[in-house]
């Protein structure tokens, strides 16, 4: 069974760093792109970026380039989303997603979400 | 970036109704479009990929059509569990982008 299991909720202060995780199982982790999607409270979905764990090829949305870092450790089938210095505006639910391999398709599996709260 | 515009932003309908949601891309994306359903407090769920392919396990009352810039999601006969928010997403080129969402409410 394919699963994406994310790390638990986080409460942080502005300026702190954070790395959240997404562990994939039940499939060949290195053969599928893994992405991250943000959902701010009461708002829609925003695509942040994506990584191909097989070769670490990473693409970012211009809106998030330089604001976050996406990485993956294929030895433990885990993808990461990292912030160096959090802002209150980073408060949101973050989902990791697996992309269907064929071009032009979507995300067939979603993690359960990690709620990040940034507040002084 | 390719902009995705959904309409309407919200719609009220009754059980048994036929509902259509549209999604327009700011430039042609061939058939590289997906539709998702999200219920409150839950992760989104893939319904349709490649504009018209039904994801495994999704009821056949859901269908998608379109290519180029104009796409539709149709629910042929609304069921109580279909009241949710629906998003389109283009998967033609990075950065992948979502529509703003359509909230389907009970009339």
């Amino acid at each position: 069974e394919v699963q994406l299991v994310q790390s638990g909720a986080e409460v942080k202060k502005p300026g702190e760093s954070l790395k959240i995780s997404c562990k994939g199982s039940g499939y060949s982790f290195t053969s599928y792109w893994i992405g991250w999607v943000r959902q701010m409270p009461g708002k829609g979905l925003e695509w942040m970026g994506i990584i191909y764990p097989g070769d670490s090829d990473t693409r970012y949305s211009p809106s998030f380039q330089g604001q976050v870092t996406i990485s993956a450790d294929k030895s433990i089938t885990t993808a990461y989303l990292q912030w160096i210095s959090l802002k209150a505006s980073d408060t949101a639910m973050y989902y990791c997603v697996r992309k269907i391999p064929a071009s032009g398709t979507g995300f067939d599996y979603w993690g359960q979400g990690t709620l990040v709260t940034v507040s002084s | 970036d390719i902009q995705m515009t959904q309409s309407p932003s919200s719609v009220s309908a009754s059980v048994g109704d036929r509902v259509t949601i549209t999604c327009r891309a700011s430039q042609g994306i061939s058939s590289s479009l997906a539709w998702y359903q999200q219920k409150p407090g839950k992760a989104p769920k893939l319904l349709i990929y490649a504009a018209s392919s039904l994801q495994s396990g999704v009821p056949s009352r859901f269908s998608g059509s379109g290519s180029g810039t104009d796409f539709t999601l149709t629910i042929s006969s609304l069921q109580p569990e279909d009241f949710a928010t629906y998003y389109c997403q283009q998967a033609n080129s990075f950065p992948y982008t979502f529509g703003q969402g359509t909230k389907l409410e009970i009339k």
Side-chain angles (χ1 to χ4, degrees), chain A residues 67-78:
Chain A
Q67 308 305 307
V68 298
T69 301
I70 293 171
S71 60
D73 184 339
K74 55 189 178 185
S75 70
I76 55 172
T77 66
T78 299

Side-chain angles (χ1 to χ4, degrees), chain B residues 36-54:
Chain B
Y36 302 89
Q37 176 194 66
Q38 187 179 32
K39 296 182 179 179
K42 300 291 188 182
K45 170 187 171 184
L46 178 66
L47 300 175
I48 302 284
Y49 63 93
S52 60
S53 296
L54 193 67

Side-chain angles (χ1 to χ4, degrees), chain A residues 100 103-106, chain B residues 30-35 46 48-53 64 66 71 91:
Chain A
I100 299 173
S103 62
T105 54
Chain B
S30 185
S31 296
S32 302
L33 187 97
W35 289 97
L46 178 66
I48 302 284
Y49 63 93
S52 60
S53 296
F71 301 86

Side-chain angles (χ1 to χ4, degrees), chain B residues 35-102:
Chain B
W35 289 97
Y36 302 89
Q37 176 194 66
Q38 187 179 32
K39 296 182 179 179
K42 300 291 188 182
K45 170 187 171 184
L46 178 66
L47 300 175
I48 302 284
Y49 63 93
S52 60
S53 296
L54 193 67
Q55 173 68 353
S56 176
V58 174
S60 59
R61 63 181 179 273
F62 291 92
S63 64
S65 65
S67 67
T69 60
D70 294 312
F71 301 86
T72 61
L73 173 71
T74 298
I75 310 171
S76 60
S77 179
L78 275 172
Q79 298 302 300
E81 61 268 28
D82 299 337
F83 293 94
T85 300
Y86 293 84
Y87 295 92
C88 63
Q89 180 222 347
Q90 67 85 11
N92 184 70
S93 59
F94 296 131
Y96 294 160
T97 41
F98 290 93
Q100 80 277 18
T102 295

